[in-house]
Amino acid sequence: MRFLATAAAVSLAFSGAWLGVVEAKSVSGDRVLVLVPKVEAAKLYSQFLDSLTSRGFDISVRAATNTSVTLQVDGVRTYDHAVVLSPESKKLGANLSVRDFVSFVDDGGNLILTASSELSELGRKLAARFGVEYEKRGTAAIDHLAHLHAVNDTSDHTLVAASPPKTAAPVLSKQFALPQSDPVYFKGIAHKYEPSNPMLIPVLTGSRTTYSAVIGSDANERAISLSGNALGLVSVFQTRNNARVAFSGSAALFSDALLSQEGSANKQFTADISQWVLQEKAVLRETAHRHYLASTGERPEHYRISNEIVYEIDLSVYHDDAWHPYNANDVQFEAIMLDPYIRATLNSTESTDPKTTATYHGDIKLPDRYGTFTFRVNYKRTGYSNVDVKDTVGIWPLRHDEYPRFLSAAYPYYISSLVMAVGFLALCAAWMWSAEPKTKRIAKQKSN
């Protein structure tokens, strides 16, 4: 009872000050589960949790050892988002397994998973399911040049000063794209990531002088297992169902100690990461799409081969607490029957609601092939939600009375037949009406 009262008090502490907020800015829900080693440890992350509360989230702070914590009940999510700030805990909640967390994400839940040099086996296995491989236990990211310089001579070289790569633009704010942006201070474990994985985005990596090694060991080639830009510090992952996961090798990244650090961009960095993972930004959606005959403006039950049609789709992107038009020049339409028969880029056109949507238009001539086709817009861009719109459409052959009387491709054959007929008639006329030669007539008369 005493434990439950403490948990309730902490939960109210982060929500009672913001009772005026009635709606979260996330498009996927406002229920957030925060797991910490002990409920009292939530005070170490008060700035981060207060920022979530101020953005309209309903936060439930629970100890990692609380056996009543579940992510799903009878296949229904009990929370929309989960933040794990207890990387060293061997068990989480009601003995939650890797499968439970994967099922939570498969069901559309979003997850922020933090780590440390003493990361548990549960955290390692969970990260490995998403293509993130953490370094060995007891290792840390170290940089003897780019680190937080203390006032005295005892600088902590494991408190790395890192800068996000430019490829993380949709996830992070524009200020991180500036050449002279403030560094992000990181203290924790590094991980490997696969650059060719289109669903995994490294948003914070090591510099040329950063390496991963056992804390306190000598920096030699055998001790260094990972270094440079290949050393991942924070990465984000977006699944095919648009659920989002963040992997931070540092739980301290979200702590008050680093968020309050002068000359750092930690506060803005953690805000950007949480906004992206909790789907408060870079959320792309299709609001409407349509296709119809260009000649009549009507959509029939089926099309005929070589029909000229119009395809239109409306796209919106969510950021800054509202839906806005999504502007791009690479939205493509496909007509597929096993393989794409048509792939055409759609052009931006006037929208019926220019404040919230952008309309893309294409004049399409259907293939000269009948069958069951799929009209598809499969739009996937790094950092944005996936848009996959499909329509199954039948394309029928022409009726017997719908074929053209003359085929343009057969004109040479028409002409050759006409020339042959004219030549035959001319030959007949010449044979029938031509006069007999004079010498031949004289020879016949003499013989008679």
Side-chain angles (χ1 to χ4, degrees):
M1 294 296 292
R2 186 175 181 181
F3 172 80
L4 293 176
T6 304
V10 173
S11 181
L12 289 173
F14 290 112
S15 59
W18 302 96
L19 291 177
V21 181
V22 295
E23 184 178 357
K25 301 174 184 178
S26 171
V27 299
S28 59
D30 59 357
R31 301 171 300 172
V32 181
L33 170 67
V34 179
L35 293 176
V36 292
K38 295 182 180 180
V39 176
E40 294 79 6
K43 298 178 182 179
L44 301 175
Y45 309 96
S46 60
Q47 292 187 32
F48 173 68
L49 298 180
D50 283 342
S51 69
L52 295 182
T53 306
S54 65
R55 281 146 49 186
F57 289 100
D58 180 15
I59 297 178
S60 299
V61 179
R62 297 289 184 268
T65 56
N66 189 338
T67 57
S68 64
V69 174
T70 58
L71 297 175
Q72 292 177 315
V73 175
D74 296 331
V76 179
R77 284 187 285 115
T78 54
Y79 298 96
D80 302 306
H81 322 280
V83 180
V84 180
L85 297 174
S86 182
E88 300 175 9
S89 299
K90 297 181 179 180
K91 294 183 178 180
L92 297 174
N95 200 18
L96 296 175
S97 64
V98 172
R99 181 178 297 180
D100 294 327
F101 280 98
V102 172
S103 177
F104 173 75
V105 174
D106 287 342
D107 195 32
N110 305 300
L111 176 65
I112 297 178
L113 184 67
T114 62
S116 68
S117 297
E118 302 299 325
L119 179 63
S120 66
E121 194 64 24
L122 174 62
R124 291 180 181 276
K125 291 181 178 180
L126 178 57
R129 293 292 295 269
F130 295 90
V132 173
E133 183 181 351
Y134 280 105
E135 286 287 86
K136 295 180 180 179
R137 191 182 184 91
T139 61
I142 303 172
D143 198 316
H144 298 298
L145 296 180
H147 60 270
L148 179 63
H149 295 275
V151 177
N152 51 28
D153 296 333
T154 58
S155 299
D156 188 358
H157 292 193
T158 61
L159 195 51
V160 176
S163 298
K166 306 305 179 185
T167 55
V171 180
L172 302 180
S173 302
K174 294 181 179 179
Q175 74 174 59
F176 291 104
L178 299 176
Q180 297 297 331
S181 60
D182 292 330
V184 176
Y185 289 114
F186 176 94
K187 184 179 180 65
I189 192 171
H191 64 261
K192 299 177 183 177
Y193 63 91
E194 181 58 50
S196 61
N197 188 343
M199 294 184 287
L200 187 66
I201 311 171
V203 293
L204 191 66
T205 59
S207 63
R208 296 176 62 184
T209 56
T210 308
Y211 66 93
S212 175
V214 177
I215 301 174
S217 63
D218 295 331
N220 54 64
E221 293 184 0
R222 294 183 178 180
I224 297 175
S225 57
L226 196 61
S227 62
N229 294 332
L231 184 147
L233 303 177
V234 180
S235 297
V236 295
F237 188 97
Q238 181 169 263
T239 63
R240 290 185 176 87
N241 67 342
N242 290 329
R244 294 174 174 179
V245 185
F247 299 94
S248 172
S250 171
L253 184 68
F254 299 89
S255 66
D256 295 351
L258 290 184
L259 293 183
S260 303
Q261 187 65 47
E262 295 183 2
S264 74
N266 284 51
K267 184 172 293 186
Q268 185 62 49
F269 180 80
T270 55
D272 288 342
I273 294 297
S274 61
Q275 287 175 359
W276 187 86
V277 174
L278 304 185
Q279 304 209 16
E280 298 176 81
K281 62 187 297 188
V283 179
L284 194 61
R285 72 172 181 181
E286 167 263 337
T287 57
H289 70 281
R290 51 207 164 270
H291 50 86
Y292 49 87
L293 288 171
S295 57
T296 63
E298 298 179 353
R299 177 177 175 177
E301 294 184 4
H302 53 265
Y303 294 104
R304 299 286 185 180
I305 59 174
S306 301
N307 275 166
E308 294 184 356
I309 68 169
V310 173
Y311 188 93
E312 294 179 338
I313 186 170
D314 299 331
L315 297 178
S316 300
V317 62
Y318 188 82
H319 61 83
D320 297 331
D321 312 333
W323 290 100
H324 302 271
Y326 178 73
N327 299 315
N329 57 2
D330 55 357
V331 180
Q332 290 188 328
F333 163 86
E334 293 179 320
I336 304 171
M337 187 172 66
L338 297 181
D339 294 317
Y341 278 71
I342 295 175
R343 182 180 287 125
T345 301
L346 303 180
N347 300 315
S348 180
T349 186
E350 184 178 356
S351 174
T352 57
D353 188 7
K355 292 184 179 180
T356 60
T357 61
T359 301
Y360 294 89
H361 169 100
D363 296 317
I364 311 296
K365 184 176 181 180
L366 296 181
D368 188 15
R369 180 70 179 269
Y370 61 87
T372 302
F373 281 77
T374 299
F375 289 174
R376 185 179 188 184
V377 173
N378 186 18
Y379 191 79
K380 296 178 180 179
R381 295 298 178 270
T382 301
Y384 290 99
S385 304
N386 301 325
V387 173
D388 193 2
V389 180
K390 298 179 182 179
D391 283 334
T392 302
V393 178
I395 299 181
W396 289 16
L398 297 176
R399 291 169 53 89
H400 67 280
D401 56 352
E402 291 179 332
Y403 285 96
R405 180 67 65 181
F406 296 101
L407 301 178
S408 59
Y411 281 166
Y413 303 99
Y414 299 153
I415 295 174
S416 63
S417 299
L418 182 62
V419 169
M420 181 177 292
V422 171
F424 176 76
L425 293 176
L427 180 63
C428 292
W431 181 78
M432 294 178 63
W433 286 288
S434 62
E436 191 175 7
K438 186 176 181 180
T439 55
K440 211 170 188 179
R441 290 200 305 268
I442 295 173
K444 285 184 178 180
Q445 292 175 359
K446 288 182 177 181
S447 61
N448 293 332

